[in-house]
Every structure is written in structure tokens, then in C-alpha cells.
């Protein structure tokens, strides 16, 4: 589904506004801009009778230039100096836990891990932390993050706690969340230039 990649409308800049209809046309629910692939697999937009043709990569570069604005949300327990930028829809939270020890040649051992679901609820992203609120609250400071990547639709963050967490977004784009988490990491470190985010953050 195109909206998993174009999670923001290039026309009106509204998040989560694009929806794919039964006819395969992707339509912005806010401004009416629609998208279809042509025979060359370029993505053609149409809005108010005007058409534009770009590659999917070019459209993605356009939405990545849009700055995500601060939002207000009563359910978020804001700390002093904290600004909220995103709240997820229903999401599942997983934590990396030891699974079993692999015994190899000449006594070589390797600890295997797996992700275990520990909660479900909503993820909040601020300029200071990731806060997951479900049956419990799980707070992870931006300074604790040591990597951020995506596999399929699940966003995986490694932490300085010695284990990773992953988020499965059931109703929205995981790519959106990977991008905005990375943006907040960049802003957190300021003048330091980040060259890569996985397998670990490298300046």
C-alpha cells in the first residue's frame, strides 16, 4: 500500500491522509490529490486538473523535507521543557529477551534472543523520549537509543540498557515512525552529524 511509504500528502502536507481505494487509486482524504502509477512505474499525481509525474523516490524526498510540527495531546504526561510531536494509533510493544544458548564447534557458545510482546497501547514521541502507554508506562530517553531501523513494518530500536525494543504499528506506517524517530535523534544531538543509524548510531 502506497500510504505506508507516502505517509504524508505531498500536496497539503497532512500526515496519514492518503488512502488506497478499491480501484487502486490513492486519494488524499484532506485535499483530494490522487496518485496512480503509469506504465513506466512512475507515480502520477492529479490535483485540481493539474498532473505531475515523478518517481516514487522523488515523491518520498519531497515529504522528507516537511518538518513535523508540535502537537497537543491531553493523554501525554508532559515534563518540563518537553514538546510532543507524534502519537501512534494502536501499537504492540516487544522487548528483546534471551531465548536459548547455541552450542557450536569446539565449545563455542552464542546467546540467541527473540522479541517478546510485553504490552499494547499508544506510542508518544517527544523531543526528550519515547513513551509507550499501555497497561504500564515504558519511557525510553532519546539519549538511551543506540540504533533505529525498520524490518518489514516493525521499527526496532536498540538501547544502552543492553536490549532492544520493537514496535509493531497495526494501523499506520512504520516507515513514518522510523523517519520521525531518527529526526528527533538528529535534533537531540544538534551539531553532531549522524552518518548512520544502524547497526548502531555513528557520528
Amino acid at each position: 500500500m502506497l500510504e505506508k511509504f507516502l505517509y504524508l500528502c505531498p500536496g497539503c502536507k497532512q500526515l496519514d491522509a492518503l488512502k488506497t481505494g478499491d480501484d487502486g487509486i490513492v486519494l488524499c482524504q484532506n485535499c483530494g490529490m490522487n496518485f496512480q502509477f503509469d506504465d513506466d512505474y512512475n507515480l502520477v499525481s492529479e490535483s485540481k486538473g493539474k498532473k505531475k509525474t515523478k518517481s516514487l523516490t522523488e515523491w518520498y524526498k519531497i515529504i522528507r523535507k516537511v518538518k513535523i510540527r508540535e502537537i497537543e495531546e491531553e493523554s501525554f504526561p508532559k515534563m518540563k521543557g518537553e514538546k510532543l510531536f507524534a502519537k501512534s494509533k494502536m501499537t504492540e510493544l516487544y522487548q528483546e529477551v534471551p531465548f536459548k544458548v547455541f552450542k557450536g564447534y569446539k565449545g563455542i557458545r552464542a546467546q540467541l534472543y527473540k522479541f517478546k510482546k510485553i504490552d499494547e497501547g499508544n506510542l508518544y514521541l517527544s523531543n526528550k523520549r519515547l513513551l509507550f502507554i499501555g497497561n504500564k508506562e515504558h519511557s525510553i530517553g532519546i539519549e538511551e537509543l543506540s540504533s533505529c531501523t525498520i524490518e518489514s513494518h516493525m521499527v526496532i530500536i536498540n538501547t544502552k540498557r543492553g536490549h532492544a525494543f520493537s514496535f509493531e504499528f497495526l494501523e499506520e506506517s512504520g516507515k513514518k515512525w522510523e523517519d520521525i524517530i531518527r529526526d528527533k535523534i538528529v535534533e537531540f544531538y544538534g551539531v553532531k552529524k549522524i552518518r548512520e543509524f544502524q547497526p548502531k548510531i555513528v557520528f
Side-chain angles (χ1 to χ4, degrees), residues 72-108:
E72 294 295 331
E73 175 57 55
E74 292 183 359
S75 61
F76 179 68
K78 187 182 295 186
M79 301 187 300
K80 184 177 181 180
E82 192 169 22
K83 297 179 180 180
L84 181 66
F85 290 92
K87 175 190 176 183
S88 76
K89 298 178 182 178
M90 184 55 62
T91 304
E92 294 179 342
L93 172 63
Y94 294 78
Q95 181 177 323
E96 186 181 47
V97 296
F99 177 46
K100 65 180 179 179
V101 175
F102 173 78
K103 298 178 180 180
Y105 181 65
K106 289 188 176 182
I108 294 176

Side-chain angles (χ1 to χ4, degrees), residues 176-188:
K176 174 187 76 174
W177 278 91
E178 181 198 28
D179 284 348
I180 61 178
I181 290 171
R182 288 184 172 190
D183 287 347
K184 293 308 160 193
I185 294 173
V186 169
E187 291 175 13
F188 180 84

Side-chain angles (χ1 to χ4, degrees), residues 61-162:
K61 287 180 179 179
I62 289 173
I63 72 168
R64 285 296 287 134
K65 292 178 181 179
V66 178
K67 187 174 179 62
I68 303 300
R69 298 178 180 177
E70 182 181 358
I71 63 172
E72 294 295 331
E73 175 57 55
E74 292 183 359
S75 61
F76 179 68
K78 187 182 295 186
M79 301 187 300
K80 184 177 181 180
E82 192 169 22
K83 297 179 180 180
L84 181 66
F85 290 92
K87 175 190 176 183
S88 76
K89 298 178 182 178
M90 184 55 62
T91 304
E92 294 179 342
L93 172 63
Y94 294 78
Q95 181 177 323
E96 186 181 47
V97 296
F99 177 46
K100 65 180 179 179
V101 175
F102 173 78
K103 298 178 180 180
Y105 181 65
K106 289 188 176 182
I108 294 176
R109 292 169 177 259
Q111 177 69 61
L112 302 181
Y113 294 85
K114 68 176 182 178
F115 281 106
K116 177 183 178 182
K117 181 179 174 181
I118 60 171
D119 212 341
E120 62 179 43
N122 303 105
L123 178 65
Y124 300 79
L125 174 65
S126 78
N127 59 322
K128 294 180 179 291
R129 58 177 171 159
L130 289 161
L131 178 65
F132 192 95
I133 301 180
N135 294 320
K136 298 181 179 180
E137 288 191 5
H138 312 265
S139 182
I140 306 166
I142 299 293
E143 76 282 355
E144 294 185 72
L145 304 184
S146 58
S147 72
C148 177
T149 188
I150 190 170
E151 292 184 9
S152 185
H153 55 282
M154 295 185 71
V155 175
I156 301 172
I157 57 169
N158 208 351
T159 70
K160 297 174 183 177
R161 300 179 186 184

Side-chain angles (χ1 to χ4, degrees), residues 167-178:
F167 305 97
E168 182 167 7
F169 298 97
L170 304 178
E171 303 175 48
E172 59 194 307
S173 168
K175 183 60 180 169
K176 174 187 76 174
W177 278 91
E178 181 198 28

Side-chain angles (χ1 to χ4, degrees), residues 32 34 45-52:
N34 65 74
S45 74
E46 183 175 359
S47 178
K48 298 178 181 179
K50 296 182 179 180
K51 293 186 177 182
K52 291 182 180 180

